[in-house]
Amino acid sequence: MARSGHRSRYTRYDGGPDPLAPPVDLAEALDAIGEDVMAGYSPERAMQEFLRRGGRDQVGLDELARRIAQKRRELLQQHSLDGTMQEVKELLDRAVLNERKQLARDIDLDDTDRAFREMRLDSLPQSPAAAVSELSSYDWQSSDAREDYEKIRDLLGRELLDQRFAGMKQALEGATEEDRAAVQEMLGDLNELLEKHRLGEDTQEDFEEFMAKHGQYFPEDPQNITELLDALAQRAAAAQRMLNSMTPEQRAELMELSQQAFGSPELMQAMSRLDDNLRSLRPGEDWHGSQRFEGEEGLGLGDGTGVLQDLADLDELAEQVSQSYSGARLDDIDLDKVQRQLGDQAAIDARTLADLERALKETGYLRRSADGQLKLSPKAMRQLGKALLRDVANRLSGRQGQRDVRQSGAAGELSGATRPWAFGDTEPWDVTRSITNAVLRSSSEGRTGPGVRLTMEDIEVSETEARTQACVALLVDTSFSMAMDGRWVPMKRTALALHTLIRSRFRGDALQLISFGRAARVMEIEELTALDPRYDKGTNLHHGLLLANRHFRKHPNAQPVLLIVTDGEPTSHLEADGEVRFSYPPHPRTIALAVRELDNARRLGAQTTFFRLGEDPGLARFIDAMAGRVEGRVVAPELDDLGAAVVGSYLGSRKGGRGPVGEHMGDWFGGRGWWVG
């Protein structure tokens, strides 16, 4: 079979996000969002703040906004708008100088004629535009002078066309009369097409016929009349803004000079007609804006229009990056404009931010509630809790992974013995013994050949010792002093870490989270994590202990574990009628009621640990006395170590002060200066 002559070409992928790129890493984003949520931000605002700040290796929106503002500032400080005028003046001065030289050395010229010509050159107006107009009928004696003067007309024509059609200045350099006639014909056909479109009488065939004839003038390669209109109107509006940005004198000079373009008034008429059509069809473009240029590098009309378009792009990008308008999304950012204005890497950074935002919503980490607000999903809470638990494990063990237990949901501790599997067993298989049984059985049956066939009779399971279940009540102080002294977020981190540990490693344990401020209440972890700092006057430990004891009574066969995190003495209590009574300094009745409920917890068998935050001597004396009354412990951790202290205390309580954690609890606390009672 004959080989095909087709040859494959491999080019850079340009069809959207790289399909081979690794997925975005959400771990850092989730950690940062979770921290902000626990500090009181809404999940939506927390996500926006992360996208603004960026991460360790990820540029954020603020940095993109800074680059946009810097690029805009550089354009305005670098350029001025008199480039074409300067070039016209240079050509004019050179033409006049060459003409004077020619008059001086032309011996065949009549003296009267020479004097008349010199007088005419001497009396030229100061205005370059007026001088060019005055010399339009001058009979040049110098061929070099005539060439320079014609260059002025050619330059003006190419610059005016370049304002409306990018690249025309270079394309028409050295153009013939036939080339100029072709441009004039294109303008005529374009105006007819636009006027037909304005009346609603055009067709796609009309557009395609126009592009087949004049497509070389439109490098944007529009596919329909709408795309053509957009490209033309955006550049024409930028040209008008450039004109608006000039001084009145510059503007007057340019308008007068424009009449000399190509020495053809028909060109200006066609351009004026084009502007009228574009204004009518695209009134929403910015036709009235202006900019203040302060630099010294002169811009020609075409280049200046390009810079005005760049400024418009930068202004649009600044608005997109600000995300300050209703319904804003990072997908709104025009990546092509970012790449054009700030470079490839900036476009990659912007695309990654959009991917992050999309992934956070589409992968289920953020979900929108019935009221339209974004919330951290249970999946996000688990991910955040795992990160916090890893940090706790590092602080507990001093090295990564030591506390990463692999017995999730096990029924007890392994005893080292095994037994045959029976229906209903949930203990883990002893794989080594099971395979050995299969090999021995196969050998006794005389089986040969590769592989081992495992039957139910071969399977043995590892025996476990019964493991005591725990009933845990974590009481966290939510009075205003916790937020005022920077303890709000560490408190939430602690609760989430303990919640994650129990839900993932000790699922048989019953955890209840109880907040106590002026009053106490049972809270789900999502509610506590999103709780805003508040001015809650009162520390109602009495009410919190009441709820904890109710929780313990619901689980009579479990070991009660009472963990109390606070930074203040009790200043409120719950009366029999349900009313809250507040008193500062603490009223004796408030203290007595708190002590009574603590005694009740002891009678229920609770192992109690107080976590004292702050250095208040009165608080220290009170907590020492409370802990001593119930043979409890007192821990005074640094804020960064609060989570590790609470989790460590819980693990030690589960083992009754024995085992790997319990054996080292005293040394660990004492070594860090935490054991105070």
Side-chain angles (χ1 to χ4, degrees), residues 9 26 387 471 491 508 625:
R9 294 180 58 203
L26 296 179
C471 177
M491 174 270 290

Side-chain angles (χ1 to χ4, degrees), residues 91-363:
L91 287 170
L92 179 63
D93 289 345
R94 194 166 67 195
V96 171
L97 179 61
N98 285 334
E99 180 68 5
R100 290 184 185 279
K101 290 179 179 180
Q102 182 64 35
L103 292 176
R105 63 174 174 260
D106 192 348
I107 59 176
D108 296 330
L109 189 63
D110 180 80
D111 290 342
T112 302
D113 190 16
R114 179 184 293 108
F116 177 75
R117 290 176 180 275
E118 289 177 346
M119 180 182 67
R120 190 171 179 184
L121 294 176
D122 291 340
S123 61
L124 285 174
Q126 292 296 316
S127 163
V132 170
S133 179
E134 176 71 23
L135 293 171
S136 61
S137 59
Y138 183 78
D139 181 19
W140 298 92
Q141 296 299 299
S142 166
S143 58
D144 290 338
R146 182 183 299 106
E147 183 178 347
D148 285 335
Y149 182 79
E150 291 301 324
K151 283 182 180 179
I152 292 175
R153 293 184 167 186
D154 179 72
L155 171 68
L156 289 170
R158 290 187 292 120
E159 287 277 19
L160 288 170
L161 286 170
D162 201 41
Q163 274 193 304
R164 272 66 173 188
F165 307 94
M168 193 72 83
K169 180 180 179 181
Q170 291 75 25
L172 289 181
E173 189 170 7
T176 63
E177 287 299 328
E178 288 77 11
D179 295 329
R180 295 172 183 170
V183 171
Q184 189 77 40
E185 183 183 7
M186 180 272 291
L187 286 172
D189 292 345
L190 177 59
N191 279 316
E192 289 180 7
L193 177 63
L194 297 184
E195 287 160 0
K196 196 173 182 181
H197 179 71
R198 187 167 60 179
L199 296 173
E201 299 174 353
D202 65 312
T203 64
Q204 179 66 16
E205 288 74 17
D206 293 333
F207 168 79
E208 292 173 354
E209 182 180 344
F210 172 82
M211 290 299 295
K213 185 176 181 181
H214 304 296
Q216 70 271 21
Y217 298 111
F218 303 93
E220 303 90 352
D221 191 27
Q223 299 301 303
N224 51 55
I225 186 67
T226 300
E227 292 183 8
L228 176 64
L229 261 173
D230 288 342
L232 289 172
Q234 288 168 10
R235 190 157 179 92
Q240 182 60 51
R241 291 195 301 275
M242 180 181 181
L243 192 65
N244 300 341
S245 303
M246 293 179 175
T247 65
E249 293 78 13
Q250 288 175 327
R251 197 157 45 242
E253 285 280 309
L254 181 61
M255 296 306 294
E256 188 173 350
L257 276 171
S258 298
Q259 304 304 319
Q260 303 296 322
F262 287 147
S264 169
E266 291 80 9
L267 174 65
M268 286 307 299
Q269 292 171 3
M271 298 284 281
S272 177
R273 181 182 168 194
L274 175 61
D275 285 347
D276 290 342
N277 283 323
L278 293 174
R279 281 176 178 268
S280 174
L281 290 164
R282 288 292 184 272
E285 292 290 339
D286 183 8
W287 299 95
H288 305 289
S290 63
Q291 301 290 342
R292 183 179 178 183
F293 289 82
E294 301 174 344
E296 298 181 356
E297 183 180 323
L299 290 170
L301 298 182
D303 291 339
T305 298
V307 168
L308 265 296
Q309 281 190 295
D310 288 341
L311 290 170
D313 283 353
L314 292 169
D315 288 342
E316 186 176 345
L317 287 175
E319 182 179 10
Q320 293 169 0
V321 167
S322 74
Q323 295 284 285
S324 58
Y325 50 93
S326 177
R329 299 181 309 159
L330 292 187
D331 284 333
D332 297 340
I333 297 177
D334 190 325
L335 297 179
D336 290 336
K337 288 183 179 178
V338 174
Q339 183 179 34
R340 186 164 62 245
Q341 299 298 335
L342 301 180
D344 292 343
Q345 186 57 51
I348 293 173
D349 291 333
R351 174 177 290 163
T352 303
L353 287 173
D355 290 345
L356 267 172
E357 181 186 51
R358 194 181 311 111
L360 284 167
K361 295 179 180 179
E362 293 180 355
T363 56

Side-chain angles (χ1 to χ4, degrees), residues 544-575:
L545 290 170
L546 276 171
L547 295 175
N549 288 334
R550 182 188 300 171
H551 178 56
F552 295 151
R553 292 187 184 99
K554 289 180 179 178
H555 301 82
N557 298 321
Q559 168 62 54
V561 178
L562 178 61
L563 308 171
I564 304 171
V565 178
T566 185
D567 71 346
E569 301 172 70
T571 55
S572 64
H573 64 269
L574 193 66
E575 292 284 6

Side-chain angles (χ1 to χ4, degrees), residues 405-457:
V405 184
R406 297 297 179 184
Q407 297 179 20
S408 176
E413 306 294 342
L414 295 175
S415 66
T418 64
R419 60 176 173 78
W421 176 85
F423 180 77
D425 281 339
T426 59
E427 288 80 5
W429 287 13
D430 187 313
V431 177
T432 302
R433 292 295 301 272
S434 299
I435 296 297
T436 300
N437 291 340
V439 171
L440 293 175
R441 180 182 50 76
S442 298
S443 177
S444 66
E445 293 175 355
R447 293 180 179 275
T448 59
V452 176
R453 183 182 179 188
L454 195 67
T455 67
M456 299 304 297
E457 291 76 18

